Amino acid sequence: MNGQRDRPRQHWVIYALGGGWGHLNRALALGRIAVRRHAVTILTNSSCVEYVLERLDLTPRPPSLLGKGERGDVCLEAIAPDLSRAETCDRVQKFLLQTKYDCLIVDTFPRGLGGELAEILPQLQVPRILVHRDLNPQYVQAKGLAEFVEQHFEQILVPGEGYEVPLAYLPQAQHTAPWLIRSADELMPLDQARSLLRLPTNPTQVVIICASGSAPPSLPGKGAGGLGSTETQLFGTLTYQLHQALPEVTVRCLSPQCPPQCPPELWASHWPGMDCLQMADVVVGGAGYNTTYECAALKVPLISFAFKRLYDRQARRAQQHSYEVCSVTEAIALVKALLQQAAEPRQQRQLSYTNGVFRAVELIESAIAGS
Amino acid sequence: MRLQLTRTALATGQAQTSVLETPIALGREFALMPGILEGNRVSRLVLEDAQVADYHTLIDEQAGELVIVDQSGGQGLRVNGVSTTTSPLQDGDHFQIGSYDLQVQFNPEAAAVSDEEASAAAFNSAGECDRQVGFLFPRRCGRTTTVGCPYCNSGQVNNDPYFYERSYYSGYGTYHSGYWGSNYYDNRDSYAYNAETRNIDFTDADSASFEREADTDFEQDMGAS
């Protein structure tokens, strides 16, 4: 990135609407690197934004989270998650039409989460870049996204999702490694992470369960039978049962709030979770974007439940990058098997991986320069 | 309520058509027209003309009746040639804003069919129908009679249930990977083609594929991911 230093400082807006962690985390991963040379505003309606803001106010702040102490230049433009669709769409349109910026980066939803971008994209006189996480092909077909994206986006960035995602064949598509909230040299020191998770001083194997999601758990083709009333409850139950089944193993459930059924002494809370995942011998979670690629980068085996989502194909990601399971019983059996295979204590391994956000910033700058 | 508005630039005669849900705001500046009214999303139509106010008029339903209301403070609204600030609108009415004439049509589906398209079988000098038929695989009809033709139905035009919807599917006729027609094209051998009648029979599943229940969920849930 050194060769880019002479370029004028720009204002980038990242459209990251969508529930849960995925969009906000991916936008922050990009934004915190981009902010080293440009002002960045992230437009979000995530219900997790309050939690993230609280963590950003920690003293001391998580090291290097936003890069070179320029936190003031990353602006989170938060839209309340409980606003109606009409109100949310109106807020987005007003913001994008009344704010000055040099580039619009749209995460996942080319027409906007509520279709609100379709009306205004033709009026925006700035380069538009689509961040193309995997998408439900039915959505791509139903809304004519291929033609729309080809017409309205100068660049498509595919952050580690491969060449089989629905719009990857379009001529403006470019691929990077997965975007991660932490590069290898930024991860929290092991002692600090050990303390945060309240791990015992004598080395034991560690299983971390990533619990998130308020929806009733539903798996493709299998429904919700016996999985609990919410996804977090499923993970709370799993934490308890895993602790009972493997008392010699340290089990921790990582979640903003202690899930139902989870014993409080087994619960830990931290963002970004990648700091904690580096301590795990095995991770159990959903097959969302961040959990999957964070585990892949850290080379931690992931056991995943591929939850049904309207837009995200977790099953596809789960099959490619994890051990997919459909029940608590199956997950516990697989944890046992994977722990037995573990050759060396997890926490002594050297980590090295590529964080795709650096390349993404370069590609976006090139797109702006060439527009 | 869904309306079709056909706007014609009086200077050039150039016409454009939009199908919009009420309430509908018309003006020169998208951002200065309301995005929401009484909890409903407003369709905003931009007319690029110096004589049009930033927010010129609003079309909405009032007591079951469609009404157009001037929002420009008297910069000019004529309905069927009469200056007004508020007026009910009937199917087929014309109103004028700045240098645009706009026609309202209540049945967008029917209105979407041009006069040319709506004509019955168009027999050429060889006695064959030149009309384009078929939804997914459009082709020249080639029949020599309208009798038994599902498209003309013995002269009763537009009986084809797939006839009107074409205008709503962008990318129609584009079948390569990623476009919504690609699956159908890939599976084209499974559609029954009757060489004698030249009909391609659609199954119920083909028809339903265009309005799958799941499709209506897209772009509705602002908490989805």
Side-chain angles (χ1 to χ4, degrees):
Chain A
M1 292 169 68
N2 290 345
Q4 313 282 332
R5 277 181 183 154
D6 295 338
R7 287 187 176 158
R9 191 168 180 80
Q10 300 159 346
H11 180 198
W12 293 7
V13 170
I14 305 177
Y15 175 101
L17 263 71
W21 288 100
H23 309 278
L24 178 60
N25 217 55
R26 193 163 43 246
L28 282 167
L30 176 70
R32 76 187 193 89
I33 301 303
V35 79
R36 295 177 183 181
R37 287 204 299 271
H38 307 289
V40 175
T41 300
I42 297 172
L43 192 55
T44 175
N45 71 338
S46 170
S47 57
C48 306
V49 75
E50 289 294 328
Y51 179 79
V52 168
L53 287 172
E54 283 173 20
R55 295 307 173 280
L56 295 179
D57 287 335
L58 284 176
T59 305
R61 188 188 318 147
S64 304
L65 187 63
L66 293 177
K68 295 187 177 178
E70 297 186 34
R71 177 180 166 241
D73 283 345
V74 173
C75 177
L76 283 180
E77 183 72 19
I79 297 172
D82 55 354
L83 285 187
S84 70
R85 174 173 173 260
E87 289 171 315
T88 304
C89 291
D90 191 54
R91 288 277 301 272
V92 169
Q93 289 180 336
K94 278 185 178 150
F95 178 83
L96 292 178
L97 290 168
Q98 294 172 2
T99 305
K100 283 190 175 178
Y101 48 95
D102 302 291
C103 169
L104 176 63
I105 300 157
V106 179
D107 184 275
T108 305
F109 303 111
R111 289 165 42 87
L113 182 56
E116 75 280 14
L117 296 184
E119 285 179 315
I120 62 170
L121 277 187
Q123 303 172 54
L124 302 180
Q125 302 299 313
V126 296
R128 292 153 297 194
I129 287 117
L130 174 68
V131 179
H132 182 23
R133 183 210 71 185
D134 190 31
L135 279 174
N136 179 348
Q138 184 61 32
Y139 165 57
V140 175
Q141 288 198 349
K143 297 297 179 184
L145 292 188
E147 192 176 44
F148 184 84
V149 169
E150 195 165 16
Q151 186 178 353
H152 292 296
F153 287 87
E154 282 78 10
Q155 186 179 63
I156 302 167
L157 293 178
V158 185
E161 292 273 74
Y163 290 82
E164 300 302 317
V165 290
L167 304 175
Y169 72 93
L170 289 175
Q172 63 268 52
Q174 293 185 284
H175 295 256
T176 73
W179 297 3
L180 302 165
I181 197 76
R182 292 281 202 212
S183 297
D185 59 354
E186 297 174 308
L187 288 165
M188 182 180 276
L190 294 179
D191 288 347
Q192 200 176 338
R194 186 176 291 113
S195 168
L196 194 150
L197 287 168
R198 304 183 310 279
L199 299 183
T201 50
N202 57 317
T204 66
Q205 289 182 303
V206 177
V207 177
I208 293 180
I209 292 161
C210 292
S212 62
S214 56
S218 180
L219 305 174
K222 297 173 180 72
L227 293 176
S229 59
T230 63
E231 290 170 5
T232 48
Q233 184 182 343
L234 165 68
F235 288 120
T237 303
L238 173 63
T239 304
Y240 174 73
Q241 293 191 14
L242 198 55
H243 177 64
Q244 295 292 313
L246 300 171
E248 72 281 10
V249 171
T250 302
V251 180
R252 290 289 180 270
C253 183
L254 189 63
S255 178
Q257 286 89 34
C258 185
Q261 318 294 329
C262 176
E265 65 274 18
L266 302 183
W267 168 61
S269 176
H270 176 72
W271 183 83
M274 204 172 175
D275 283 331
C276 298
L277 300 188
Q278 65 173 323
M279 307 302 292
D281 293 275
V282 173
V283 170
V284 187
Y289 179 92
N290 293 297
T291 304
T292 301
Y293 292 114
E294 286 175 6
C295 287
L298 296 169
K299 296 183 173 60
V300 184
L302 171 64
I303 297 171
S304 72
F305 292 86
F307 295 120
K308 271 188 185 171
R309 296 285 187 266
L310 183 58
Y311 299 103
D312 192 16
R313 288 189 295 178
Q314 289 203 356
R316 178 181 171 277
R317 204 178 286 120
Q319 286 154 15
Q320 290 184 351
H321 299 287
S322 74
Y323 302 90
E324 187 181 357
V325 293
C326 300
S327 69
V328 168
T329 308
E330 203 179 340
I332 292 172
L334 197 49
V335 168
K336 281 183 189 174
L338 289 174
L339 288 178
Q340 284 169 3
Q341 290 172 15
E344 58 180 321
R346 166 76 202 160
Q347 294 154 33
Q348 293 175 11
R349 292 175 203 164
Q350 291 295 314
L351 289 169
S352 173
Y353 55 84
T354 301
N355 186 350
V357 291
F358 293 94
R359 178 67 181 143
V361 170
E362 290 175 350
L363 288 170
I364 294 168
E365 286 177 333
S366 298
I368 296 170
S371 65
Chain B
M1 182 178 184
R2 202 175 194 195
L3 297 180
Q4 176 170 300
L5 288 180
T6 302
R7 58 189 183 282
T8 305
L10 296 173
T12 64
Q14 190 176 9
Q16 284 183 286
T17 296
S18 303
V19 176
L20 302 165
E21 292 285 345
T22 56
I24 302 167
L26 298 98
R28 198 177 60 211
E29 284 293 332
F30 184 92
L32 297 180
M33 291 185 271
I36 302 176
L37 285 174
E38 297 175 355
N40 297 315
R41 280 193 79 188
V42 177
S43 304
R44 288 174 273 188
L45 186 63
V46 175
L47 301 172
E48 293 180 0
D49 177 4
Q51 298 175 54
V52 174
D54 294 339
Y55 173 28
H56 201 113
T57 58
L58 178 73
I59 299 173
D60 202 357
E61 290 175 88
Q62 293 180 9
E65 188 176 53
L66 196 69
V67 175
I68 186 167
V69 181
D70 179 73
Q71 305 287 337
S72 69
Q75 275 188 245
L77 170 64
R78 297 168 73 88
V79 177
N80 295 325
V82 178
S83 290
T84 183
T85 55
T86 303
S87 171
L89 287 177
Q90 304 295 330
D91 189 21
D93 277 353
H94 286 254
F95 61 95
Q96 190 178 334
I97 299 174
S99 62
Y100 282 93
D101 175 84
L102 295 102
Q103 186 183 24
V104 183
Q105 286 172 283
F106 286 4
N107 185 346
E109 286 78 9
V113 183
S114 68
D115 291 343
E116 186 179 344
E117 288 172 316
S119 65
F123 295 108
N124 60 23
S125 56
E128 294 182 341
C129 179
D130 281 336
R131 187 178 160 194
Q132 284 289 109
V133 296
F135 184 78
L136 286 170
F137 309 108
R139 61 206 181 277
R140 183 177 155 271
C141 177
R143 291 180 184 80
T144 55
T145 174
T146 59
V147 177
C149 171
Y151 297 93
C152 294
N153 195 23
S154 300
Q156 301 301 305
V157 297
N158 304 331
N159 206 39
D160 171 9
Y162 306 101
F163 191 84
Y164 298 128
E165 286 82 351
R166 287 177 193 163
S167 62
Y168 297 120
Y169 289 90
S170 59
Y172 169 70
T174 306
Y175 299 127
H176 58 74
S177 175
Y179 285 78
W180 60 262
S182 64
N183 285 351
Y184 304 98
Y185 187 77
D186 291 344
N187 298 322
R188 58 192 179 278
D189 290 341
S190 63
Y191 299 109
Y193 176 66
N194 184 323
E196 192 172 324
T197 65
R198 298 181 183 233
N199 292 336
I200 295 177
D201 296 329
F202 271 76
T203 64
D204 288 343
D206 298 327
S207 173
S209 69
F210 292 108
E211 290 191 6
R212 281 172 41 148
E213 190 178 349
D215 287 357
T216 62
D217 292 339
F218 295 128
E219 299 184 349
Q220 298 301 311
D221 179 3
M222 301 307 287
S225 63

